[in-house]
């Protein structure tokens, strides 16, 4: 049971930063003028000296909320009661994974910004990027830039995340049980038939 608990925690932590439903595609080249404009826009949206703090300000509350959902799951709570030190071990693991994720984010920030600049350059032309820059220079645009990344820590969003985590864990547990049963049946049949 504790190994299963550790596996659930590992899957959760790694899943929270994985892209959702993305498929590998070959990127099309971008116009250098559009790329230059996109880089300038990103420098305004996420000033280089504040990028890390902005992203951590969004991700830390989100990850903490997901972890809280994991720890408050009734089945998980029952498993944690089975060994006195289990909760402490899991909390340490989750904390370490959060710090590891943040370190990885900081290390890979230049690549993320470059990828985002290319994505913007593919989706917006120079005129549109200029219009976005004009908007973000307005009081409303500045307010949006300051607050948009904090939306993930809003109480309503946090409650939704906890609900989603609960539903996801319930489904994953049922799916894992069904998979185990299929694998056990296959092992008994040695792959003969279904």
């Amino acid at each position: 049971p504790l190994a299963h608990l550790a596996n659930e925690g590992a899957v959760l932590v790694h899943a929270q930063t994985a892209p959702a439903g993305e498929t590998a595609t070959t990127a099309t080249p971008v116009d250098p003028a559009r790329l230059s404009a996109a880089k300038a826009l990103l420098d305004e949206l996420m000033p280089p000296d504040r990028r890390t703090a902005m992203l951590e300000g969004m991700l830390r509350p989100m990850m903490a909320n997901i972890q809280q959902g994991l720890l408050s799951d009734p089945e998980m709570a029952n498993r944690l009661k089975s060994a006195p030190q289990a909760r402490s071990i899991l909390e340490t693991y989750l904390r370490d994974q959060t710090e590891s994720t943040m370190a990885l984010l900081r290390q890979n920030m230049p690549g993320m910004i470059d990828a985002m600049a290319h994505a913007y350059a593919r989706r917006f032309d120079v005129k549109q990027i200029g219009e976005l820059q004009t908007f973000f220079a307005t009081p409303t645009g500045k307010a949006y830039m300051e607050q948009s990344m904090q939306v993930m820590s809003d109480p309503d969003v946090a409650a939704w995340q906890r609900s989603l985590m609960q539903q996801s864990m319930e489904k994953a547990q049922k799916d894992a049980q069904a998979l185990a049963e299929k694998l056990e049946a296959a092992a008994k049949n040695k792959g003969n038939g279904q």
Side-chain angles (χ1 to χ4, degrees):
L2 290 180
H4 181 69
L5 171 68
N7 188 38
E8 281 181 4
V11 169
L12 166 70
V13 170
H14 294 290
Q16 46 191 352
T17 55
E22 299 228 355
T23 57
T25 59
T26 304
T28 57
V30 297
D31 174 2
R34 289 170 79 158
L35 183 59
S36 178
K39 286 180 179 181
L41 175 63
L42 285 170
D43 283 347
E44 287 184 39
L45 293 175
M46 299 171 64
D49 62 331
R50 294 183 42 224
R51 284 180 181 156
T52 299
M54 290 172 76
L55 286 173
E56 284 192 19
M58 176 188 72
L59 290 175
R60 280 189 187 279
M62 183 173 69
M63 291 176 76
N65 192 47
I66 290 170
Q67 291 170 7
Q68 180 186 2
L70 173 68
L71 292 169
S72 63
D73 174 65
E75 186 169 329
M76 182 66 71
N78 287 336
R79 289 184 182 163
L80 292 174
K81 287 178 187 175
S82 69
Q85 70 277 30
R87 184 176 189 91
S88 174
I89 291 169
L90 180 60
E91 287 173 344
T92 299
Y93 171 80
L94 293 172
R95 206 172 23 256
D96 290 348
Q97 289 303 305
T98 295
E99 293 310 314
S100 175
T101 297
M102 291 301 135
L104 195 59
L105 175 69
R106 285 188 293 273
Q107 177 185 352
N108 288 283
M109 183 78 68
M112 182 191 79
I113 296 299
D114 186 61
M116 289 175 68
H118 280 80
Y120 273 74
R122 282 189 192 91
R123 287 161 178 80
F124 304 103
D125 63 33
V126 173
K127 181 177 183 267
Q128 291 170 321
I129 291 171
E131 290 169 352
L132 288 169
Q133 285 177 306
T134 299
F135 168 71
F136 289 121
T138 68
T140 300
K142 287 179 182 177
Y144 174 81
M145 283 190 317
E146 290 296 321
Q147 296 299 316
S148 65
M149 295 191 117
Q150 302 306 316
V151 168
M152 295 308 288
S153 61
D154 182 85
D156 288 332
V157 175
W160 171 83
Q161 284 179 336
R162 283 190 301 274
S163 173
L164 181 64
M165 175 56 60
Q166 181 68 35
Q167 293 172 44
S168 176
M169 288 183 64
E170 288 170 5
K171 182 174 182 340
Q173 290 165 358
K174 288 176 186 174
D175 291 350
Q177 180 62 39
L179 175 62
E181 290 169 5
K182 287 179 184 177
L183 291 173
E184 188 176 321
K188 286 180 182 175
N189 293 331
K190 303 216 186 290
N192 298 327
Q194 296 259 357

